Amino acid sequence: MLELAVGIILGACALGAGIAMVAGIGPGIGEGNAVAKACEAIGRQPETRSEVTTTMLMGCAVAETTGLYALIIAILLLFVAPGRLVNILLEAVGK
């Protein structure tokens, strides 16, 4: 019975890490849209190139943090959470 509980913990952590990495899709799509719109803006008004580029890079940096947070959560779920959760389970069972 204890082995089943440990397996469920490990499976849930792996599943959670995979779901967390789905959040990496959003920044990619958002940054692609931002670059596309910046290229359109520069094409229409080339004299605003520096302002558009600066604003685009700041926006992409902010959008990228979402993907980095998702990566950190996934790493924690894969390498830190299983050990802690198994220890909590063992303490609750009394082993």
Side-chain angles (χ1 to χ4, degrees), residues 78-94:
L78 286 176
F79 298 111
V80 177
R84 288 189 175 231
L85 293 174
V86 168
N87 286 339
I88 291 170
L89 174 69
L90 291 176
E91 287 177 6
V93 172

Side-chain angles (χ1 to χ4, degrees), residues 15 21-23 27 39-40 45-46 55-56 65 71 89-90 93-94:
L15 186 63
M21 287 313 300
V22 171
C39 289
E40 286 179 20
Q45 293 183 345
T55 304
M56 178 201 62
T65 59
L71 177 64
L89 174 69
L90 291 176
V93 172

Side-chain angles (χ1 to χ4, degrees), residues 9-26:
I9 289 172
L10 295 176
C13 287
L15 186 63
I19 291 171
M21 287 313 300
V22 171
I25 295 171

Side-chain angles (χ1 to χ4, degrees), residues 53-63:
T53 303
T54 303
T55 304
M56 178 201 62
L57 289 175
M58 287 298 294
C60 285
V62 170

Side-chain angles (χ1 to χ4, degrees), residues 31-72:
E31 290 173 23
N33 286 336
V35 172
K37 296 298 181 180
C39 289
E40 286 179 20
I42 292 169
R44 290 183 181 156
Q45 293 183 345
E47 64 274 2
T48 63
R49 180 178 182 214
S50 63
E51 292 88 9
V52 171
T53 303
T54 303
T55 304
M56 178 201 62
L57 289 175
M58 287 298 294
C60 285
V62 170
E64 188 65 29
T65 59
T66 306
L68 292 175
Y69 291 145
L71 177 64
I72 290 169

